[in-house]
Amino acid sequence: MLLLALVLGVLASLGHCAESESSSARLIVAKNILNQFAVEGKDLTVHYTIYNVGSSPAFAVTLTETAFDENSFKVKHGLTSIKWKSIVPGTNVSHTLILEPLKSGVFNFTSAMVTYKPSEDAPEQVAFSTAPGEGGVMSNKDYQRKHSPHLVDWGLFSLMSIPTMLIPFMVWYRSHSKYENIKAKKN
C-alpha cells in the first residue's frame, strides 16, 4: 500500500512538472555559418534562428553574440545584440549577421547567448545556441591560389606550348611538301 502511494505521488508530481513546463515558452536557438569557405577580407554570413517550441509566448527575448572579436572581425551588416518583444509559440524568428574577417587563422565559433522570460512575470532564463565549433579563416592569397580560374597562368602556358608544337609541324610540312613535289615530278 505504501509502495502504491509512493508511485502515485511520483506520477502526480511528474505530471505537475510536465504541465508547468509545457505551459511556458521554450526556445531552441540555432547558429549557422552559411559560407563554405571563410576567407580573410570577404563576407562571412552567420545566421541565427530562434524557435519557440513551448505553448506560450516568450517575452523580452535578447540575442547576444560575443564570439567574434573586434580585432579579428568587422561587422558589416546586422547587430551583435538584438531584441524581440515576444516570440509567439510555434513560430520562429531569424537574424543574419554579416562579418568581414580581418585576419586569417583558426577561430572558435562558440554559441550565442539568448535571454528570455518564459512568461511576463517569470524570472529571466538563459539559453545558448548551437556552436559551429572551431573553424579556419583562410588567407585571401591562399584562397585565390586554390580557387581562382588561373586564366593568366593558362594563357602563358598556351603561349609557351605553341613553339613546341609549331616547330615540329613546320619541319614535317617542309619535308612532306618537298617529297610530294619530287613524287609529282616522277609521275
Side-chain angles (χ1 to χ4, degrees), residues 66-74 102-103 107:
T66 58
F68 300 106
D69 180 27
E70 292 177 1
N71 298 327
S72 302
F73 296 92
K74 175 183 158 190
L102 300 175
K103 56 185 174 181
F107 296 95

Side-chain angles (χ1 to χ4, degrees), residues 121-133:
D121 56 345
E124 192 172 75
Q125 290 190 355
V126 177
F128 293 95
S129 70
T130 56

Side-chain angles (χ1 to χ4, degrees):
M1 208 46 142
L2 185 59
L3 182 62
L4 181 62
L6 183 63
V7 168
L8 287 176
V10 168
L11 289 175
S13 66
L14 286 176
H16 177 68
C17 288
E19 182 180 306
S20 65
E21 283 183 14
S22 66
S23 65
S24 65
R26 295 188 64 198
L27 299 182
I28 297 174
V29 186
K31 175 182 177 180
N32 296 309
I33 295 179
L34 301 182
N35 297 54
Q36 185 176 5
F37 299 105
V39 181
E40 173 186 13
K42 295 192 179 273
D43 289 351
L44 177 69
T45 306
V46 183
H47 185 75
Y48 306 91
T49 307
I50 303 173
Y51 303 94
N52 184 353
V53 295
S55 60
S56 67
F59 296 98
V61 180
T62 303
L63 170 72
T64 307
E65 178 60 78
T66 58
F68 300 106
D69 180 27
E70 292 177 1
N71 298 327
S72 302
F73 296 92
K74 175 183 158 190
V75 177
K76 289 184 80 176
H77 185 68
L79 301 170
T80 56
S81 181
I82 189 165
K83 297 179 182 184
W84 291 273
K85 185 177 180 181
S86 67
I87 300 175
V88 181
T91 62
N92 63 341
V93 294
S94 62
H95 177 64
T96 302
L97 182 63
I98 299 175
L99 305 162
E100 179 183 337
L102 300 175
K103 56 185 174 181
S104 61
V106 177
F107 296 95
N108 188 8
F109 300 122
T110 60
S111 56
M113 183 174 71
V114 174
T115 58
Y116 68 99
K117 291 184 177 183
S119 61
E120 288 189 75
D121 56 345
E124 192 172 75
Q125 290 190 355
V126 177
F128 293 95
S129 70
T130 56
E134 200 171 80
V137 174
M138 191 182 297
S139 71
N140 199 358
K141 184 178 178 182
D142 288 341
Y143 178 77
Q144 292 299 328
R145 187 174 358 151
K146 291 180 183 178
H147 297 95
S148 71
H150 303 285
L151 296 176
V152 173
D153 298 338
W154 282 107
L156 289 173
F157 173 75
S158 299
L159 285 175
M160 293 186 330
S161 299
I162 288 174
T164 61
M165 293 186 301
L166 192 59
I167 291 171
F169 176 73
M170 294 297 288
V171 169
W172 172 81
Y173 184 75
R174 283 189 178 179
S175 66
H176 178 71
S177 62
K178 179 178 157 182
Y179 288 116
E180 285 293 320
N181 290 337
I182 293 172
K183 189 176 179 182
K185 286 180 184 179
K186 282 185 177 182
N187 291 335

